[in-house]
Amino acid sequence: MPIQLHSNIQISPFISSGKHENSQFLIQCEHINYVVSASVKTLIESLISYQNSNKSLVESYFTTTQRNASEADIIALAKQYIPKELFANVELPPQRNPFIFSVTLLPERLLSHVSALLTPLFNKWFCLIIMIAFIGIHGSLLTQVNQSAALGIPIGAIPTFILAMLLSYFIHELGHISACQRYNCPHGGIGFGIYLVFPVFYADVSKAWRLSQTQRAVVDLGGLYFQSILIIAVDCYAYFTASQLAYVLSWTITLTMLHTLNPFFKFDGYWLLSDLSGITNLHDKMRTALVRVKNRIFHRTPLNFNQDRALYLLIPYSILATMFFIYVATFLSQKLWQTGQDITLAFSQIQGNSLFESFTLMLEQDALFPLLKTIMWAILFVLLLSFYLKRIKNLLIQGDNLETRHK
């Protein structure tokens, strides 16, 4: 065969916004996802038809497109417009994983049975009732929740608090999975990973790309929706029992939900903004937007909003995201400098003593634990600073394929 694609390619409509309806298509090959135009989709279909029939390449192309072309011209078109990863002679790249370490805790087969029981929770009238209850109950207790958070919890309640927070994270991921199940969309499992230096739960919902724009938004919000149900239960328990632990738990879950809505990280807020706007690969497209802003400032090149209306969102988002990354990088740099000074001061006070004498002296002065904590903070600051500097650097790199959706 003169040219051949991978055998497990799937094609489905991709609805990102009203103007693109029925003009864009999702091409999936294992973990690789691409959005292509109708003409490229037709070209791919003609090649798949050629592989699965006794027709020649020219015949398959004419049957699918109703256009005449030579075999050489068809091959040239394929090499020019079809992503190279889709060709059978190209090895698929490894799936990009945002985690340093990850392990699946619950497989898809088990979760599909559990989530099937929870899909009725996504009935629109039930969702409306939950949202009204959440706003009314949580809103009325918000003052008490904030006051209790300032008081904290006893040391003996910390293990219970940690277990309850882990449960809330798991419920969040189950919400994403259940939303996929609601629309009969395949999904992966729920796992545990290390993101940067933070332990996190995650749900693999990459197949959600095949859903409509509104359905993807529901998957994005599924985790927060399930946590809202949890908060209603926690708030009611806190109100009737005056439980300090429950109030602090409600405050902490609320804080994590707000953090998840941050659109500058690839959390739920990022995916929601991407799906509602119809702009895929927001982080990758930041580079193009920033280049256009630079050309407008230094070369007076018009931005051409009328030709690319996505710039109305991309330019403000790119500028704000860059400012956010630079602010956090600057903040971490200052903290790292202060922490380094503290470590230098601590070691200067024990200089000249043997290791055993220094250890004994720090124990007598109750300085060993603060020193170890300071060193740990320094390591954390270095890791986080390197991440933010890398994010700023990555503004110069642009990708094509759709991102893997881990939530």
Side-chain angles (χ1 to χ4, degrees):
M1 289 187 177
I3 193 169
Q4 190 172 9
L5 301 179
H6 283 291
S7 59
N8 55 347
I9 291 176
Q10 294 182 319
I11 304 175
S12 57
F14 181 79
I15 304 174
S16 59
S17 60
K19 67 175 182 178
H20 292 306
E21 190 167 356
N22 299 324
S23 65
Q24 288 186 308
F25 294 86
L26 177 67
I27 309 298
Q28 293 182 305
C29 182
E30 294 186 14
H31 58 274
I32 300 297
N33 302 277
Y34 282 96
V35 173
V36 300
S37 64
S39 58
V40 175
K41 170 251 188 184
T42 305
L43 177 60
I44 293 174
E45 286 180 329
S46 67
L47 292 178
I48 293 175
S49 174
Y50 158 64
Q51 293 174 199
N52 298 331
S53 68
N54 295 323
K55 296 179 181 180
S56 68
L57 180 57
V58 172
E59 291 175 324
S60 295
Y61 183 77
F62 177 78
T63 301
T64 307
T65 66
Q66 299 300 308
R67 297 176 184 173
N68 289 309
S70 67
E71 183 176 288
D73 289 338
I74 297 171
I75 294 174
L77 286 172
K79 291 183 177 179
Q80 181 177 359
Y81 293 106
I82 297 178
K84 64 180 181 179
E85 288 84 359
L86 299 181
F87 290 103
N89 62 342
V90 176
E91 184 178 354
L92 289 175
Q95 185 172 355
R96 288 190 291 180
N97 193 331
F99 308 110
I100 299 173
F101 164 80
S102 63
V103 59
T104 300
L105 299 178
L106 293 176
E108 177 273 334
R109 184 173 58 181
L110 175 61
L111 286 171
S112 61
H113 296 296
V114 177
S115 59
L117 300 175
L118 299 174
T119 53
L121 296 177
F122 287 94
N123 175 277
K124 63 179 181 180
W125 296 113
F126 186 79
C127 290
L128 180 61
I129 293 172
I130 289 296
M131 288 299 98
I132 293 175
F134 173 78
I135 294 172
I137 296 174
H138 197 57
S140 63
L141 294 179
L142 200 55
T143 301
Q144 180 63 37
V145 167
N146 289 330
Q147 291 174 350
S148 298
L151 298 175
I153 57 176
I155 295 178
I158 291 179
T160 304
F161 173 80
I162 293 175
L163 289 175
M165 285 304 302
L166 290 176
L167 177 62
S168 75
Y169 296 146
F170 174 78
I171 289 175
H172 179 100
E173 305 308 333
L174 190 59
H176 293 307
I177 295 293
S178 299
C180 275
Q181 189 76 14
R182 166 75 174 179
Y183 300 115
N184 297 315
C185 175
H187 55 76
I190 290 179
F192 174 83
I194 302 297
Y195 180 70
L196 299 181
V197 293
F198 305 112
V200 295
F201 286 103
Y202 67 88
D204 184 1
V205 292
S206 297
K207 298 299 183 182
W209 282 119
R210 67 181 59 178
L211 297 175
S212 71
Q213 186 178 14
T214 303
Q215 291 171 339
R216 293 199 305 273
V218 173
V219 173
D220 298 334
L221 292 171
L224 294 174
Y225 173 58
F226 269 38
Q227 281 186 304
S228 298
I229 298 175
L230 176 62
I231 281 187
I232 291 174
V234 172
D235 283 349
C236 290
Y237 179 81
Y239 177 77
F240 288 110
T241 64
S243 170
Q244 175 70 11
L245 173 61
Y247 278 121
V248 174
L249 185 63
S250 176
W251 181 86
T252 309
I253 296 175
T254 303
L255 189 65
T256 60
M257 291 172 66
L258 292 174
H259 180 63
T260 300
L261 286 172
N262 183 340
F264 301 133
F265 294 118
K266 289 185 180 179
F267 299 149
D268 295 348
Y270 171 88
W271 297 111
L272 183 64
L273 180 62
S274 175
D275 289 328
L276 292 180
S277 66
I279 302 174
T280 58
N281 297 346
L282 273 172
H283 280 181
D284 288 339
K285 291 177 180 176
M286 285 170 59
R287 173 185 177 274
T288 302
L290 291 173
V291 168
R292 291 198 183 188
V293 172
K294 184 200 70 173
N295 291 338
R296 176 67 182 88
I297 295 174
F298 295 103
H299 305 293
R300 299 187 179 278
T301 305
L303 293 173
N304 295 324
F305 284 101
N306 292 332
Q307 297 179 12
D308 188 359
R309 293 189 177 275
L311 290 175
Y312 283 109
L313 173 65
L314 277 174
I315 288 179
Y317 175 82
S318 302
I319 294 174
L320 289 173
T322 303
M323 293 173 61
F324 175 79
F325 290 138
I326 292 175
Y327 165 76
V328 177
T330 303
F331 173 81
L332 290 172
S333 299
Q334 294 173 345
K335 289 295 182 181
L336 181 60
W337 173 257
Q338 295 173 2
T339 304
Q341 290 180 319
D342 293 338
I343 294 174
T344 302
L345 178 62
F347 278 108
S348 66
Q349 294 175 348
I350 60 175
Q351 194 172 15
N353 298 322
S354 65
L355 181 61
F356 178 76
E357 291 173 339
S358 301
F359 182 79
T360 304
L361 180 62
M362 285 188 290
L363 283 178
E364 292 175 351
Q365 298 178 350
D366 292 328
L368 181 60
F369 179 73
L371 177 61
L372 293 176
K373 185 172 68 173
T374 303
I375 294 174
M376 289 298 297
W377 273 114
I379 295 172
L380 179 62
F381 288 145
V382 169
L383 291 173
L384 291 176
L385 182 60
S386 64
F387 167 77
Y388 283 103
L389 293 177
K390 183 179 180 181
R391 286 304 310 147
I392 296 172
K393 179 182 177 181
N394 284 348
L395 294 179
L396 304 177
I397 302 174
Q398 193 167 11
D400 297 320
N401 61 305
L402 295 180
E403 304 154 295
T404 301
R405 301 173 75 106
H406 285 108
K407 296 181 175 294

